[in-house]
Amino acid sequence: MANTLVYIGLGANLAQPVQQLERAVVALQSIKDTELVQVSSFYGSKPMGPQDQPDYVNAVAALTTRLSADDLLTELQQIELEQGRQRKDERWGPRTLDLDILLFGDEVIQTEPLTVPHYGMKVREFVLYPLAELDLNLVLPDGTKLSELLTTVPLNGLSRL
Ligand code: ROI
């Protein structure tokens, strides 16, 4: 399979989130048939969803992979589980580690486990600003420019750590 450029969103708000993300970055480097290309700064962000949970630490990583999107998802879920993620997590509740496939090349995927581009990415400051650090000229599969999204999505307290 050819190499695909993939963007992954990283998020954590429990059990020392900065360390969770640092550990996750190391784990990303050991995924088979995959190379870590770039990691954004880490950002502090206000919780989207229920407010009675700690602030998040978020980042975005770029990978190239020869895996399929499904196989990459399996690898990412394995890393989440190794870092104590409880799969029964309430929807939009706190988590030790969340790894989301934001973009998988320019593919549009709508299967049971996987929606790519990530359904929330266009409105989430904690995705868009770290992504812009990696490639401000990024264009989504539907033609939307990242630089345009940034003008419509405020920082909402997002801060580079
Ligand atoms: N809020 C922030 N700030 N960062 C996240 O990564 C994040 N992830 C989630 C929900 C619960 C929607 N809120 C979040 O899954």
Side-chain angles (χ1 to χ4, degrees):
M1 196 182 263
N3 252 316
T4 309
L5 179 60
V6 183
Y7 291 95
I8 306 294
L10 297 84
N13 74 338
L14 294 177
Q16 300 187 290
V18 169
Q19 280 171 249
Q20 296 293 341
L21 258 60
E22 284 171 347
R23 210 178 134 193
V25 168
V26 172
L28 290 176
Q29 288 172 283
S30 65
I31 299 177
K32 64 186 175 206
D33 295 328
T34 300
E35 292 79 41
L36 180 65
V37 179
Q38 237 187 326
V39 184
S40 75
S41 307
F42 290 2
Y43 291 79
S45 67
K46 300 288 165 211
M48 163 174 267
Q51 295 298 297
D52 60 339
Q53 56 177 321
D55 284 357
Y56 278 78
V57 177
N58 285 109
V60 170
L63 313 173
T64 56
T65 188
R66 287 165 298 287
L67 298 177
S68 66
D70 277 342
D71 287 346
L72 180 62
L73 178 66
T74 301
E75 297 287 331
L76 297 176
Q77 288 175 339
Q78 185 59 39
I79 295 169
E80 289 177 343
L81 290 175
E82 280 164 7
Q83 293 190 218
R85 173 80 179 263
Q86 311 272 328
R87 256 298 152 189
K88 60 175 155 43
D89 280 354
E90 61 171 302
R91 180 168 161 80
W92 286 23
R95 61 276 314 279
T96 51
L97 180 63
D98 199 11
L99 297 174
D100 291 331
I101 300 178
L102 302 171
L103 296 170
F104 192 87
D106 58 6
E107 289 184 32
V108 176
I109 304 169
Q110 266 150 339
T111 57
E112 197 326 79
L114 203 52
T115 301
V116 179
H118 187 273
Y119 70 97
M121 68 174 289
K122 284 184 175 180
V123 297
R124 295 185 175 188
E125 70 283 357
F126 54 86
V127 170
L128 297 176
Y129 287 89
L131 199 53
E133 232 188 274
L134 303 191
D135 182 5
L136 185 55
N137 296 316
L138 203 71
V139 179
L140 304 196
D142 69 359
T144 309
K145 291 180 177 170
L146 176 59
S147 56
E148 282 168 12
L149 291 172
L150 290 171
T151 68
T152 68
V153 177
L155 282 168
N156 188 31
L158 188 76
S159 65
R160 207 187 277 221
L161 295 181

